[in-house]
Amino acid sequence: MSIPRRAKALLLLHGAVALLLATPGMAAHGLAATEQVLFVPGTARCLDGHRLAVRIEAWVFEVERRPGLSSAFAAYLGLRFDALPQAARELFEARTQLFRVDSQRHRTLDLDVDGTRVVLPSTDAAGRASSEASVASMRPCSGWIDFGLAAPALQANAAVGRALLVPDTGVSVVSDIDDTIKDSQVRQRRELLLNTFAREFRAVAGMPARYRTLAGELPAVAFHYVSAGPIQLAEPLQAFIEDAGFPAGSLHLRESTQWSQVLAG
């Protein structure tokens, strides 16, 4: 799809799990040792020859390790956890970990964005903070902008984020993920659940090569991947896109703040 001039920014569909809320009126503070940050790959744009606007979406959470939550979540989805093969149970545990967390309110993230310090607004009740940061930069208007915590106290929460720098002119390829580049079987609920949570992701035949061809043929091309899948699947989906050989791109997922929103209705 050729776009003569891109819009100034892409709408990011975002969300998080909000299970426990912090006490109202609590002062904002930094991360605790047990808390983690997830950055969703987003977009950036050139403002002029010396500044960039970088969209940052962050989620702060603490992993919940209460026994039985995996089985409870599987039962909610209509799957028998104990009936799954061992490898499938281990994959289910890993893929659903971010559905079993406590989102952290009133956390302030101090970031280093391409050499510029950026302080995000305090996280909300869903553990989310977002901002479009204006940063000084002399880099060309293409490629990726990396950012992360300015002074992470522990390696466990030393999260790294990135944003795709989209030029004002060129070609954007906006691609669905499910049953376009990834075999999901969205019309069959049980197969969709198994393919999402208990099986290795599989690329649709021929699509990685097709997308690489597009990346080589189109001028100033940028890829943007969208899905009705929830934000908790951001990391495995990002890994799938890379491992399957698709061109890197921004990732746009659906908000999912509770178990009832895991699957798009």
Side-chain angles (χ1 to χ4, degrees):
M1 176 175 61
S2 178
I3 300 176
R5 187 169 185 84
R6 291 190 175 93
K8 292 297 183 182
L10 294 176
L11 175 64
L12 297 182
L13 302 180
H14 54 82
V17 176
L19 300 179
L20 298 180
L21 302 184
T23 305
M26 180 188 297
H29 57 82
L31 296 181
T34 57
E35 295 171 353
Q36 301 179 40
V37 182
L38 173 69
F39 295 110
V40 179
T43 57
R45 57 193 172 92
C46 293
L47 296 177
D48 52 43
H50 306 289
R51 300 198 69 80
L52 304 174
V54 183
R55 186 68 185 173
I56 300 172
E57 300 282 344
W59 174 28
V60 179
F61 58 88
E62 185 174 32
V63 173
E64 175 60 72
R65 303 191 183 280
R66 285 182 296 177
L69 279 182
S70 293
S71 295
F73 185 56
Y76 177 81
L77 295 175
L79 299 174
R80 283 188 56 194
F81 183 73
D82 58 356
L84 295 174
Q86 178 64 28
R89 290 200 300 271
E90 292 175 358
L91 192 56
F92 184 90
E93 288 269 10
R95 291 261 178 89
T96 62
Q97 180 61 80
L98 294 187
F99 294 93
R100 296 175 277 114
V101 301
D102 296 335
S103 296
Q104 300 299 308
R105 189 178 187 179
H106 297 308
R107 301 302 191 265
T108 299
L109 299 179
D110 188 354
L111 306 181
D112 181 338
V113 182
D114 203 37
T116 298
R117 183 188 178 193
V118 173
V119 179
L120 294 186
S122 177
T123 56
D124 60 19
R128 296 302 302 275
S130 63
S131 177
E132 186 173 72
S134 175
V135 301
S137 179
M138 297 297 293
R139 67 168 61 232
C141 195
S142 62
W144 290 87
I145 304 296
D146 295 324
F147 54 87
L149 300 179
L154 296 172
Q155 188 65 31
N157 54 29
V160 175
R162 62 179 187 165
L164 178 62
L165 189 51
V166 182
D168 287 336
T169 60
V171 177
S172 280
V173 176
V174 182
S175 172
D176 191 14
I177 293 177
D178 298 295
D179 291 333
T180 299
I181 68 170
K182 182 174 75 68
D183 185 7
S184 300
Q185 301 296 314
V186 296
R187 296 183 182 275
Q188 301 178 48
R189 187 178 190 277
R190 179 174 172 78
E191 287 299 300
L192 172 62
L193 291 171
L194 291 173
N195 288 332
T196 300
F197 296 115
R199 293 172 179 162
E200 296 293 343
F201 291 158
R202 300 185 303 272
V204 174
M207 295 306 282
R210 175 58 178 154
Y211 277 49
R212 290 195 299 271
T213 298
L214 289 175
E217 293 179 347
L218 298 176
V221 62
F223 286 81
H224 311 283
Y225 299 99
V226 300
S227 173
I231 192 175
Q232 290 86 346
L233 295 174
E235 289 185 335
L237 285 174
Q238 186 177 358
F240 160 74
I241 289 169
E242 179 179 349
D243 294 344
F246 289 100
S250 60
L251 187 61
H252 308 272
L253 303 177
R254 181 176 53 83
E255 181 173 355
S256 173
T257 57
Q258 52 189 323
W259 285 7
S260 63
Q261 298 171 330
V262 170
L263 297 179

